[in-house]
Every structure is written in C-alpha cells, then in structure tokens.
C-alpha cells in the first residue's frame, strides 16, 4: 500500500494559509477552553498553538478548573462570543465526567460564526442545506484525502464505519450532498473491505483490520485512535496491510495533523468574516 503522509498534506494547507495571512496582514485568534488537567488534552492544545503560530495566528488558552460549574463555562463562552478580538472558539473535548451530560448545551453556547470546530448543532444542521457553515475538521480532513487520491470519488463505493457526531455523520452528509455512493455501518465486520473502494474506519478495536481482509485495491482511511502495547495505533494493522494494493492514511501521522490544519483553515475563514480564503 502507498502510505499517505498526513503531515505533508497538513503542511501544504498551513503553508497556503500562512502565505494568505501574511499577504493580507491577518492574525487569526483562536480561543481554546480547557476544563481540567487532562494530559492528552494539554498535548493537543500545544499542537494547535504551534499550528496557529505557524499560520501567522495566535492561540489564547482559557483554563478552567475541573470542578467548575456549567454556568461558569457558559459565562466564559458568552464573554468570548462578545470579544471582537477572538475569531474562533473551541471547547477542548472530552469534558470531565460531571460536565459531560451538558456537552451539547455548552457547545451550543458558542455562536455559529466562531464555532470553528463545527460542533454547534446549528452548524451541524447547516450541512444539510445549501448554505453550509463550518464543517467538522475531521470530516473535512477525510474529504480532503478522498478528493486528492480519487478525484472521481463520486463513482466509487464509499463505506464509513462508525457513528460519531464529529466525523462519520458529517462526512456522510458531505458525501451525499456531493452525489457520492455512501454506506454507513455502525460496527466493523471483516467482510466490509471487500465491497469498498474507499473505507473510512473509526470504530472497531485496535488493529482489527488486517491484510487478509483486503481483496482488492482501495483507499483506507484509519480514523481510530488507541493506546495499545505502549504505543498509539488505529483500527488498521499497518504492518499487515502494507503489502496489499491501494492507499493507507495511517495512525499515527495520518488524520490527526490534517484535522488541525483544517481547524486552522476554518479559523482563517472566521477571521475574514466567513469569506473563503
């Protein structure tokens, strides 16, 4: 399989954003609300800060205690909504367990114009209309890869494995709106790769998809993430599929960097008042 470098694609996107921002002297500002002290979340925030700096932007980190009340988070979001110096707002997920029941309410508080993660239910609903708002960065990142590998993807059989609100569902809508042939499967089954020309797998188990399951060349996008045997991996057993035909966007180094680049792309659009770059 030809291994697709998510790092290279992400770098191309960020270089283009940086050139446009420097030319127009635009400094997009992203506010990240981080609740609690989760180590993984701090790592992801650091990657976003590095990307924002690279594109001639800035990240403002708003740290809140894990025991904070929902009302205080909503107040913080409302203050950021009113701050004209902030172009985009994201809530770093996951939330502490005690706040998880109010996740949707908290995400809804971020006004659609600054919802650069595309998680506000209003923006998620706009995907079904002609006037699209901000799409989930994971979904638009997958679509970026599909379009690059198979420009004629509308003629391909596309199978999406999972049921997530931030990837599978918005990606399915984007593809259907593009007149593509899409099938969504909640759980992985070994016979699924045999019917797909493009397979996006987010749900299953660590390295559940192996080379023996592949009967033809296809584009395989691994969108899972696990810590397994002391290292990070996805749903695809990379070592067992490398001798098969086709293309693989692996874990690590695949969708993750592209997702952050797409977040920066949404941020730059927000900084231009919703205008394309």
């Amino acid at each position: 399989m030809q291994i697709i470098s998510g790092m290279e694609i992400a770098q191309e996107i960020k270089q283009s954003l940086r050139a446009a921002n420097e030319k127009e002297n635009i400094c997009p500002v992203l506010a990240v609300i981080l609740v609690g002290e989760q180590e993984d979340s701090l790592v992801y925030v650091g990657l976003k800060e590095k990307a924002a700096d690279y594109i001639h932007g800035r990240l403002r980190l708003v740290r809140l205690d894990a025991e904070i009340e929902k009302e205080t988070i909503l107040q913080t979001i409302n203050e950021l909504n009113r701050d004209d110096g902030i172009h985009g707002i994201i809530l770093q997920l996951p939330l502490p367990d005690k706040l998880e029941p109010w996740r949707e309410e908290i995400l809804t508080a971020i006004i659609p114009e600054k919802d650069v993660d595309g998680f506000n239910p209003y923006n998620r609903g706009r995907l079904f209309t002609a006037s699209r708002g901000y799409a989930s960065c994971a979904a638009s990142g997958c679509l970026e890869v599909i379009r690059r590998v198979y420009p004629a993807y509308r003629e391909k059989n596309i199978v999406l494995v999972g049921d997530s609100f931030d990837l599978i569902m918005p990606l399915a809508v984007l593809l259907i709106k593009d007149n593509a042939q899409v099938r969504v499967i909640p759980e992985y089954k070994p016979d699924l790769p045999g019917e797909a020309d493009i397979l996006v797998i987010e749900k299953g188990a660590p390295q559940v998809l192996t080379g023996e399951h592949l009967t033809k060349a296809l584009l395989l996008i691994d969108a899972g993430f696990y810590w397994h045997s002391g290292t990070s991996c996805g749903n695809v057993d990379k070592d067992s599929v490398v001798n098969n035909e086709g293309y693989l966007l692996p874990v690590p180094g695949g969708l993750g960097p592209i997702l952050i680049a797409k977040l920066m792309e949404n941020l730059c659009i927000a900084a231009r008042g919703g205008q394309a770059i």
Side-chain angles (χ1 to χ4, degrees):
M1 274 197 162
Q2 181 175 329
I3 304 300
I4 303 169
S5 172
M7 296 292 291
E8 290 182 5
I9 293 174
Q11 188 65 15
E12 286 181 28
I13 295 170
K14 290 186 295 182
Q15 284 176 344
S16 177
L17 297 174
R18 176 176 179 170
N21 289 338
E22 289 179 341
K23 181 179 179 180
E24 300 173 45
N25 195 28
I26 290 176
C27 179
V29 179
L30 175 67
V32 178
I33 301 170
L34 177 62
V35 184
E37 300 285 337
Q38 296 188 52
E39 191 171 328
D40 287 354
S41 292
L42 286 169
V43 171
Y44 294 138
V45 170
L47 293 173
K48 291 166 185 174
E49 183 173 26
K50 185 177 180 180
D53 289 342
Y54 182 84
I55 67 161
H56 198 254
R58 187 164 57 87
L59 184 144
R60 175 180 165 188
L61 179 59
V62 180
R63 301 190 67 165
L64 302 175
D65 188 86
E67 299 304 315
I68 200 167
E69 296 298 321
K70 173 194 69 174
E71 288 73 21
T72 305
I73 301 177
L74 295 176
Q75 181 182 350
T76 299
I77 290 173
N78 286 331
E79 291 172 357
L80 295 170
N81 284 337
R82 295 192 297 267
D83 188 339
D84 292 338
I86 300 292
H87 302 111
I89 305 169
I90 67 171
L91 177 69
Q92 186 67 40
L93 298 175
L95 288 168
D97 290 343
K98 64 168 276 190
L99 292 167
E100 190 59 31
W102 292 282
R103 183 184 66 180
E104 285 293 302
E105 181 180 350
I106 295 170
L107 290 173
T108 303
I110 300 173
I111 59 174
E113 295 81 5
K114 296 189 178 186
D115 171 40
V116 290
D117 251 343
F119 290 170
N120 182 302
Y122 179 80
N123 274 332
R124 280 145 61 185
R126 287 181 69 185
L127 291 180
F128 291 89
T129 71
S131 58
R132 194 179 107 190
Y134 294 110
S136 152
C137 303
S140 59
C142 282
L143 192 55
E144 174 90 22
V145 174
I146 291 171
R147 285 172 169 165
R148 283 173 177 247
V149 175
Y150 289 137
Y153 62 92
R154 293 173 185 85
E155 302 169 6
K156 304 291 185 179
N157 291 318
I158 305 174
V159 176
L160 312 180
V161 181
D163 56 7
S164 61
F165 84 97
D166 60 332
L167 172 54
I168 298 299
M169 288 193 282
L171 179 57
V173 174
L174 292 174
L175 289 166
I176 290 169
K177 285 177 66 175
D178 248 358
N179 295 317
Q181 305 173 61
V182 185
R183 184 181 176 198
V184 179
I185 309 295
E187 296 282 351
Y188 175 74
K189 299 175 183 178
D191 61 338
L192 285 176
E195 61 186 77
D197 299 308
I198 299 170
L199 177 64
V200 180
I201 176 169
E202 183 195 45
K203 199 169 182 181
Q207 301 175 338
V208 66
L209 194 162
T210 62
E212 64 183 358
H213 299 150
L214 305 180
T215 59
K216 64 178 183 180
L218 79 167
L219 166 59
L220 187 53
I221 296 179
D222 191 350
F225 187 83
Y226 308 89
W227 284 104
H228 182 64
S229 301
T231 186
S232 61
C233 69
N235 291 299
V236 178
D237 185 346
K238 179 181 174 181
D239 291 341
S240 78
V241 303
V242 290
N243 292 324
N244 292 84
E245 296 182 353
Y247 303 85
L248 170 65
L249 185 72
V251 174
L255 185 58
I258 300 173
L259 187 156
I260 293 176
K262 285 294 183 177
L263 173 64
M264 296 299 113
E265 187 174 83
N266 281 350
L267 176 65
C268 291
I269 292 171
R272 289 165 171 80
Q275 300 298 313
I277 302 168

